[in-house]
Amino acid sequence: MFFRRRSKSPTELSDEELLLRYRQHGDVQDVGMLYDRHLTAVFAICRRYLRPDEDAQDAVMQLFEQLVEKLRRHEVDNFTAWLHTTARNYCLMVLRARQRTSPEGGGPLILHFPDATDMESAAGRHLPADDPEEAASTEARLRYLEHALTELPDGQRQCLELFYLQQKCYRDIADATGYDLSLVKSYLQNGKRNLKRMLESYPTDAAS
């Protein structure tokens, strides 16, 4: 007697199998299944760059719509790494768009962490997709910067992200966090000093 091999359900398929099936058949549900697996990580990335949370949620939805198109055209070897890079680049693009419409005008996007060596500009630049070496180098710096931020005490990290990424003033940070103004200033001062120390130890060959 012959038994028909049972087909795998979508939840049993690996990321690679779902990607291949989507390129073959174009079923958006396969992308949805794939995206659901990584949704928490994607939202965490978006939330680091974009506030309030509603903006991060909008970015998550926009990224899904981009995946529907991009994954039809591109083969992706490591989906997790590719998705995280795509999410970061999208958030940086949003921040650049905000900067262009701000009273200060345009120019390159810079995540200013004063006196934090040249990491302050390299970590925040949105790079063209056709410059893979420079993109890899900047991606490594972004990862290192994010790691450095997570190593800070919560109050310092939160105030730095609000002040530099969201360009909030002291009063806005105090309102958002519940800290008093003197504590906000202390967290920013100590956070900048600690971040500078960590970034100065960034390995120059990290992306090689």
Side-chain angles (χ1 to χ4, degrees), residues 39-193:
L39 191 61
T40 301
V42 171
F43 179 68
I45 292 171
C46 293
R47 193 172 185 270
R48 182 172 297 280
Y49 291 97
L50 304 175
R51 298 291 177 89
D53 282 356
E54 288 78 7
D55 288 353
Q57 291 167 1
D58 288 344
V60 169
M61 297 302 296
Q62 291 297 322
L63 279 164
F64 175 75
E65 294 181 8
Q66 287 191 11
L67 294 190
V68 171
E69 295 299 323
K70 289 183 176 181
L71 292 177
R72 282 199 184 106
R73 304 190 304 267
H74 303 292
E75 291 189 10
V76 176
D77 293 328
N78 185 331
F79 180 74
T80 299
W82 179 86
L83 179 60
H84 289 186
T85 298
T86 300
R88 288 190 187 97
N89 284 341
Y90 179 83
C91 291
L92 292 173
M93 180 185 69
V94 171
L95 290 174
R96 286 193 70 180
R98 287 180 180 176
Q99 188 181 50
R100 284 195 298 269
T101 58
S102 70
E104 290 78 12
L109 174 66
I110 297 176
L111 306 184
H112 288 285
F113 293 94
D115 302 321
T117 69
D118 61 353
M119 285 285 293
E120 63 184 37
S121 60
R125 195 164 54 243
H126 178 63
L127 297 174
D130 58 356
D131 192 355
E133 291 187 3
E134 191 175 0
S137 176
T138 296
E139 176 66 16
R141 292 186 184 97
L142 275 170
R143 289 197 301 268
Y144 195 85
L145 176 60
E146 288 188 345
H147 173 74
L149 284 169
T150 63
E151 292 295 303
L152 294 174
D154 287 343
Q156 294 178 17
R157 174 189 53 76
Q158 190 176 14
C159 288
L160 282 174
E161 289 179 345
L162 289 170
F163 189 74
Y164 291 112
L165 294 182
Q166 302 303 314
Q167 300 180 348
K168 301 291 188 182
C169 67
Y170 290 170
R171 172 59 63 186
D172 288 343
I173 295 173
D175 291 342
T177 61
Y179 304 140
D180 61 47
L181 283 175
S182 62
L183 188 56
V184 168
K185 294 177 183 179
S186 175
Y187 278 152
L188 284 171
Q189 181 179 6
N190 293 330
K192 284 188 290 185
R193 183 175 61 250

Side-chain angles (χ1 to χ4, degrees), residues 13-29:
L13 296 174
S14 66
D15 287 357
E16 292 74 19
E17 288 171 324
L18 283 170
L19 284 170
L20 178 60
R21 197 167 79 164
Y22 178 64
R23 284 196 298 271
Q24 290 176 340
H25 304 290
D27 189 343
V28 177
Q29 289 185 349

